[in-house]
Amino acid sequence: MSWETIDITTESGETMRAQAPVIVSASRATDIPAFYADWFFDRLEKGYSVWTNPFNGAKSYVSYARTRLVVFWSKNPRPLLPHLEKLREKGIRCYLHYTLNDYEAEGLERGIPPLDERIDTFLRFSELLGKELVIWRFDPLIRTDRIGVEELLRKAERIGDRLRGHTRKLVFSFADIRTYRSVQGNLRRNDIRWREFDERQMLDTAAGLAELNKKWGYTLATCGERIDLSQFGVRRNKCIDDELIVRQFADDPLLMDFLGVERDGLFGPETVVRKNAKDKGQRPFCGCIASKDIGEYDTCPHQCAYCYANRSDGKAAENYRLHRTRPDAETITGK
């Protein structure tokens, strides 16, 4: 969707036209909580940032004047912890997609903290935000010559058992490696012998997770997947989720107005979302509603071997180096 635009005054004193999103995604394209939390909250205080279009390089301004919700995505959100109070002071709500995989033995995620530390961080966020607002993602599920469906289920069980009572949802997806040439190249360079999932293996994985979920009690959902797994009680997810937003943040009239929420019944507490706010810029089977993503590709130094958002580890490392030379720049990279 096209966000409403407003005039802003930049740090250099210029008047510029800026998008003014109600919902900000931070971010599908890079790990802002892990590496750019200070930058983001500095820009939030200054009122705007600059986003670079990955396809044509064009720069555009993003104003936070009307932002009511930030959806964070991270594999290591611990640096976000000291900043949460700043959101509360501004009356801005948030929730967190926390990708918590177990690929330590295979070396698929070299730049992230040990699993035990990441689980501890998850529990801290669950305590601070509430268990519905910290969403566990085992994402992506990836097959290699060393990891089959049974091993993936064992890995999921080890994490899921420890998170029980601290989250309400598990979101997963199947690595779609053939679609991304850069991912294939990254895996080859890391000597990872990957395997694509076939339909039978997807069904077996979903069945296994459904069986484990008898003790967990999570909502199970897939992210952007074509395959219908509803026979196992698995939903198609909305990562930017209007239903969750209404349940958790119904007391924010500006956010509810953006979603087109109306009371369903004169005296009843039920609400219904009337507006079709689906994000048309996402994949066909993505259920997300519209948000403005402020991240940029080629900026995440986690060095995950299967990453689709980096063309190479070297490019990401160079952009992160540039960021550190200008950590208060309008853009993430400082360019």
Side-chain angles (χ1 to χ4, degrees):
M1 68 174 292
S2 297
W3 293 101
E4 186 175 351
T5 59
I6 63 174
D7 286 331
I8 64 168
T9 302
T10 69
E11 293 172 276
S12 62
E14 296 179 280
T15 300
M16 303 296 294
R17 203 69 180 160
Q19 299 177 71
V22 174
I23 301 175
V24 167
S25 170
S27 151
R28 291 181 179 93
T30 192
D31 197 326
I32 285 178
F35 299 107
Y36 303 100
D38 290 344
W39 171 84
F40 172 69
F41 281 91
D42 178 62
R43 297 316 311 175
L44 190 65
E45 191 62 35
K46 291 172 178 172
Y48 76 96
S49 61
V50 174
W51 177 75
T52 305
N53 188 302
F55 301 106
N56 59 21
K59 288 181 167 49
S60 59
Y61 288 83
V62 180
S63 167
Y64 301 114
R66 297 180 182 173
T67 297
R68 307 303 304 159
L69 172 68
V70 181
V71 180
F72 292 107
W73 315 64
S74 186
K75 291 183 178 178
N76 176 28
R78 185 166 289 210
L80 199 61
L81 287 168
H83 295 288
L84 292 178
E85 186 57 35
K86 298 172 187 175
L87 288 180
R88 295 189 186 98
E89 290 170 358
K90 291 181 175 294
I92 297 174
R93 310 302 181 86
C94 74
Y95 66 90
L96 170 64
H97 286 282
Y98 195 150
T99 299
L100 196 54
N101 303 330
D102 178 8
Y103 296 129
E104 287 186 322
E106 298 80 15
L108 294 179
E109 298 174 329
R110 292 172 293 167
I112 61 176
L115 180 59
D116 285 345
E117 181 179 325
R118 287 179 283 134
I119 290 175
D120 177 69
T121 299
F122 192 106
L123 301 183
R124 291 179 66 183
F125 273 95
S126 178
E127 183 179 352
L128 287 169
L129 298 181
K131 59 186 176 182
E132 190 170 14
L133 297 180
V134 187
I135 298 163
W136 174 30
R137 303 178 73 93
F138 201 121
D139 178 31
L141 297 165
I142 184 167
R143 292 180 59 241
T144 73
D145 57 344
R146 299 174 58 189
I147 312 173
V149 170
E150 290 185 4
E151 178 60 17
L152 283 171
L153 291 172
R154 282 193 291 268
K155 290 174 179 293
E157 183 174 20
R158 287 193 291 268
I159 298 173
D161 286 352
R162 295 178 66 181
L163 299 186
R164 184 165 43 178
H166 299 280
T167 186
R168 288 185 174 168
K169 182 182 278 190
L170 163 57
V171 179
F172 62 95
S173 69
F174 302 102
D176 191 11
I177 298 167
R178 288 198 180 96
T179 302
Y180 300 101
R181 192 173 301 173
S182 62
V183 174
Q184 296 177 45
N186 287 338
L187 289 170
R188 280 196 301 271
R189 282 190 290 274
N190 287 280
D191 197 29
I192 305 297
R193 295 174 176 83
W194 56 273
R195 307 283 189 268
E196 202 78 50
F197 280 88
D198 61 29
E199 184 172 329
R200 181 71 263 161
Q201 289 155 345
M202 292 181 186
L203 293 171
D204 288 345
T205 303
L209 289 172
E211 183 64 27
L212 290 170
N213 201 42
K214 290 178 181 178
K215 61 176 174 176
W216 294 337
Y218 302 143
T219 297
L220 300 180
T222 55
C223 180
E225 292 291 344
R226 177 184 297 273
I227 191 169
D228 182 0
L229 300 174
S230 57
Q231 62 183 299
F232 305 109
V234 179
R235 305 177 181 180
R236 286 197 167 105
N237 201 47
K238 293 189 282 188
C239 300
I240 312 293
D241 186 349
D242 50 358
E243 296 174 30
L244 170 64
I245 295 166
V246 170
R247 285 197 305 272
Q248 291 290 315
F249 309 128
D251 58 339
D252 187 319
L254 296 177
L255 193 51
M256 294 303 102
D257 182 62
F258 167 73
L259 294 177
V261 167
E262 298 177 4
R263 292 287 172 182
D264 188 15
L266 183 60
F267 301 106
E270 296 85 2
T271 58
V272 60
V273 177
R274 302 290 186 188
K275 185 186 294 185
N276 179 12
K278 188 178 187 309
D279 191 337
K280 297 177 182 178
Q282 300 301 322
R283 296 169 292 171
F285 292 94
C286 173
C288 287
I289 66 166
S291 63
K292 173 56 186 171
D293 200 294
I294 59 166
E296 295 188 23
Y297 293 126
D298 293 317
T299 60
C300 182
H302 274 318
Q303 296 182 305
C304 298
Y306 54 79
C307 182
Y308 73 91
N310 290 339
R311 284 170 288 183
S312 71
D313 290 344
K315 181 71 172 174
E318 173 60 16
N319 280 331
Y320 186 51
R321 185 194 66 79
L322 289 173
H323 161 76
R324 286 181 295 176
T325 64
R326 295 188 62 205
D328 57 351
E330 293 176 325
T331 65
I332 277 182
T333 61
K335 295 179 181 176

